[in-house]
Each structure stands twice: as C-alpha cells, then as structure tokens.
Amino acid sequence: MKEVAALQIEGLSSGYGASLVVRGLSLEVAPGEIVALLGKNGMGKTTLLRTVMGYLQARTGHVRMFGADMHDRPVHARSRAGVGYVPQEQALFQDLPVRDNLRLGLADDRQMQGAVTRIGALFPFLPARLAQKAGTLSGGEQKMLLLARALMGAPRLLLIDEVTEGLQPSNIDRIAAVLRAEAEQNGRAILLVEQHVGFALRIAHRYAVLKGGEKVAEGEAADPDAAADIAAHLQL
C-alpha cells in the first residue's frame, strides 16, 4: 500500500490580485523526504509556500496534507495539522527575548522545557541565549532561531524559504546537518525553497525547478547530471 504523502499539491494556481504567479503546479513530498524547489527570484517559489500555508487563496487545484484536503482551511488549522513554516522575510520579534520567540512555536507552555532541551541539541547556542533579545543575535543566529522556532512543535511537515540566504559556510553546514537529521531520524517531510543549488543538492532527495510559476524540471538530487540540468533551466 502506497504511503500517504505528507504534502500533495495538484494543479495549483495562485497569485496576487489580477496577477497569476503560480500556474498549474503539481508536487509531492513524502514523509522523511526533502524536496528542493529551485528557481530565480520572482519565479513563484515564495508564492507557492504562502499558498500552501493558507496566507494566499488558491485559484485552482488542491493542497493535501497527510491525505486531508486543506481547501479553505485557515493558516492556524494548517499549522495544527503539523506544519512548520520558516519564512524568507524577517519574522522574529526583535525586542523579545529568544525564549519568547521560541515559545511562539508551541501550543502549550507545558511543552517549553522539553522542546528547548530538544532544540538545544540541534542549535547549542540557544539555551544560553534564552534571555537575550532576538534582535541582538547575529544574522546567522537569527536564521537558526527562525528554524528552531518552526521545529519547537515537532512538525511533521516543514516549509522553508531561503534559509541560507546571506549565511556564512559554517552556519550553512549546521543547518544542512539539522535538516538532514530531522528528515532521516524523525521522518519530517521538508519542502525547501532555495537558490543555493549546491546546498540544496547536498541535502535533498529530489529537486524541482520553477520558472515563470511553472515546474519546468524535476529529478533525483543524487543524479550526477542534476546540477547541469538545474543550471540549464536557470541559465546560471
């Protein structure tokens, strides 16, 4: 019997006002799988994630999470279905301490201590910085705090938008290790929007390329021709 997909997108179209940005896109992510979605700026990657999360309404098509149709379900309902979201834009409360930013990833205060212990094993700098204002962390630390917050509630599906943008190699290596471990050891499904092709192919199982809001290529990340195929579509 075929395993139910963590995320199933079928014929999805969405956009802003009269502008259609994502056009008839279909994509699946299985439990424990990392799928990298690659493309230049303005190709619809963020729009796709915002539609999957419910911030934007789909014009056509369906989004299913673990077999449940998410049509017309609000953002909070999708989050409760086991979805974590790491947006590209700065989404931390800069004047609040790290502890309070992490707390936003949980539904219940009673889960806080255990979640911080678990997250601290992934990002060792965080437990010692709980009282520090989030805005005083370095840029790389803030990106890792965003990811940590999304992981606090142990989501079954993780949507990540350009998490490596502007990061130094050591931080990228830490994030790569965390994401691969979360997929392999905890069975989390991850849809990773990226422009950093090397990073994406290092940790992903499969990839897809978005151009003009449409999926123009897909394949196995381990394929020796994957990087060349992506470069041809992105004209790198």
Side-chain angles (χ1 to χ4, degrees):
M1 184 175 180
K2 185 180 177 181
E3 186 176 29
V4 175
L7 176 65
Q8 184 179 36
I9 302 169
E10 295 181 342
L12 189 71
S13 298
S14 68
Y16 306 88
S19 176
L20 197 62
V21 178
V22 176
R23 305 167 185 271
L25 190 140
S26 296
L27 187 71
E28 284 193 13
V29 186
E33 182 181 38
I34 301 175
V35 175
L37 187 62
L38 300 147
K40 291 184 176 181
N41 286 334
M43 293 296 105
K45 304 185 304 297
T46 294
T47 299
L48 174 65
L49 292 191
R50 289 178 59 82
T51 306
V52 170
M53 276 304 299
Y55 292 109
L56 289 175
Q57 186 173 6
R59 307 283 181 84
T60 64
H62 295 276
V63 174
R64 294 183 177 87
M65 296 175 179
F66 306 99
D69 195 334
M70 294 290 117
H71 182 69
D72 286 341
R73 297 191 68 181
V75 175
H76 66 83
R78 300 182 192 214
S79 179
R80 288 173 183 169
V83 185
Y85 179 40
V86 183
Q88 180 182 16
E89 68 273 11
Q90 183 53 263
L92 295 173
F93 288 89
Q94 301 284 310
D95 292 330
L96 292 180
V98 167
R99 179 187 297 276
D100 290 354
N101 276 276
L102 290 174
R103 170 65 185 84
L104 293 171
L106 294 172
D108 191 328
D109 282 332
R110 292 172 295 181
Q111 301 170 342
M112 186 68 181
Q113 184 174 349
V116 168
T117 299
R118 178 169 51 81
I119 291 301
L122 303 176
F123 301 106
F125 77 94
L126 282 175
R129 306 280 195 91
L130 293 178
Q132 183 174 339
K133 287 186 178 180
T136 65
L137 298 176
S138 70
E141 289 169 341
Q142 290 191 38
K143 281 291 187 72
M144 287 187 277
L145 175 56
L146 277 173
L147 178 55
R149 185 177 69 186
L151 288 169
M152 285 288 283
R156 296 186 293 167
L157 168 64
L158 196 57
L159 310 176
I160 305 176
D161 196 352
E162 302 279 7
V163 72
T164 65
E165 186 178 27
L167 297 190
Q168 62 186 27
S170 61
N171 288 334
I172 291 175
D173 288 344
R174 164 59 62 179
I175 289 172
V178 166
L179 294 182
R180 199 63 196 246
E182 288 298 300
E184 292 177 354
Q185 298 173 19
N186 296 316
R188 302 201 204 290
I190 300 173
L191 178 58
L192 176 73
V193 162
E194 262 297 332
Q195 289 196 65
H196 189 322
V197 176
F199 168 76
L201 292 181
R202 181 175 19 150
I203 69 168
H205 299 92
R206 292 187 296 115
Y207 71 88
V209 180
L210 204 59
K211 191 172 184 178
E214 299 180 351
K215 186 175 67 177
V216 295
E218 60 184 333
E220 300 291 326
D223 189 322
D225 296 324
D229 179 45
I230 293 165
H233 286 286
L234 299 183
Q235 298 179 345
L236 297 176

